[in-house]
Amino acid sequence: MSAPVLAVEQLTKRFGGLTVLGGITLEVAPGQIHGVIGPNGAGKTTLFNVINGIYTATSGRVVFRGRDITNKAVSRIAGLGLGRTFQVARVFNEMSLLDNMLVPTIPRRLPRRAVEGRALALLELAGLAELRHQVAIEISGGQKKLLEFMRTMMFDPDMILLDEPFGGINPALVDRLTEIVLQLNREQGKTFLLISHEMPSVMRLCEVVTVLAAGLTIARGRPAEVREDPAVIEAYLGH
């Protein structure tokens, strides 16, 4: 059996006296689309923020491709091949879509001509190529999420963390984003860990789902099994 691409081992995060993550353990296999769900305040985004270095872990470990990346710098973790998107897309509103795509290449001082082709191909994949010269402030929130996702792919990461990729976007863009994730997974073997409240998308995409509530893991399994788990139903709906 292949070693996991990502292993989270007894991960805890406290802010003062508040425990937000209470010993989370999960593994993501190579080429897997793994979902993380749970009610608001469950600790999902905090988990992502610890994994990719925005927050330091109080205890526990994060191992990516066999390397301990716990509390490493965000830039170093990204450089190892772990990409990340955010609940609210982080784009440069006054820059064109094409220039947004090229921002990650600036620190490497790569010639524009050398990277523009990949940027245009990724914009084409997202259905945004025709808007490449438009400034980002003029596109919709859903298109900004697509733009951020495609920008994350500029350096071909092995694994991508998607934080609420479907939240607040129209059904057509949800379908497009879903198809892109499936295409990258099937054709390029990309591994995904995603947070989502959009259960139909989770059911369609994810092979395994981990459920968090109050900073603890309360269930893990196939989507259909998790959906019927009494502990999950209680966490979402109460008694």
Side-chain angles (χ1 to χ4, degrees):
M1 185 175 180
S2 299
V5 175
L6 181 75
V8 175
E9 302 172 358
Q10 292 297 318
L11 199 65
T12 66
K13 177 60 182 175
R14 299 187 186 94
F15 295 96
L18 177 65
T19 300
V20 181
L21 298 176
I24 302 298
T25 294
L26 64 82
E27 292 186 349
V28 184
Q32 189 177 72
I33 304 176
H34 190 123
V36 178
I37 66 172
N40 291 333
K44 303 182 296 297
T45 294
T46 299
L47 173 64
F48 272 24
N49 286 341
V50 174
I51 289 171
N52 90 307
I54 293 176
Y55 293 161
T56 58
T58 304
S59 64
R61 289 205 312 160
V62 181
V63 179
F64 177 62
R65 296 197 309 178
R67 296 189 183 190
D68 189 336
I69 61 168
T70 317
N71 301 337
K72 303 299 184 188
V74 173
S75 58
R76 183 175 178 188
I77 292 171
L80 292 173
L82 183 61
R84 163 80 192 270
T85 68
F86 294 84
Q87 285 190 44
V88 178
R90 298 185 177 185
V91 302
F92 298 93
N93 280 323
E94 302 307 321
M95 296 172 62
S96 71
L97 273 63
L98 180 56
D99 285 341
N100 262 276
M101 293 290 292
L102 299 179
V103 166
T105 71
I106 293 173
R108 302 190 186 190
R109 300 182 179 179
L110 298 172
R112 184 181 178 101
R113 189 175 298 176
V115 292
E116 195 170 277
R118 177 164 178 79
L120 289 171
L122 288 167
L123 288 173
E124 184 70 37
L125 176 63
L128 298 173
E130 292 183 359
L131 305 175
R132 61 188 179 275
H133 297 305
Q134 198 163 327
V135 292
I137 199 170
E138 295 176 352
I139 64 175
S140 72
Q143 289 171 323
K144 288 178 181 178
K145 287 199 170 190
L146 280 169
L147 174 62
E148 181 189 45
F149 181 19
M150 293 299 98
R151 189 179 63 200
T152 300
M153 298 303 300
M154 277 297 289
F155 285 122
D156 202 22
D158 296 314
M159 180 173 179
I160 304 95
L161 308 178
L162 299 176
D163 191 350
E164 292 288 359
F166 311 113
I169 66 177
N170 69 53
L173 287 179
V174 169
D175 288 343
R176 180 181 297 170
L177 184 50
T178 299
E179 288 302 325
I180 292 170
V181 170
L182 288 171
Q183 183 176 342
L184 291 171
N185 175 255
R186 291 167 179 167
E187 297 180 6
Q188 299 182 28
K190 297 300 181 188
T191 303
F192 291 90
L193 182 64
L194 70 91
I195 295 168
S196 182
H197 282 98
E198 299 289 329
M199 290 308 294
S201 298
V202 171
M203 295 293 147
R204 181 178 177 188
L205 283 170
C206 298
E207 302 162 58
V208 178
V209 175
T210 295
V211 187
L212 305 185
L216 302 173
T217 304
I218 62 168
R220 181 180 293 112
R222 294 184 178 278
E225 297 167 349
V226 164
R227 184 174 55 187
E228 303 301 324
D229 189 300
V232 175
I233 296 169
E234 181 178 340
Y236 273 98
L237 302 177
H239 288 288

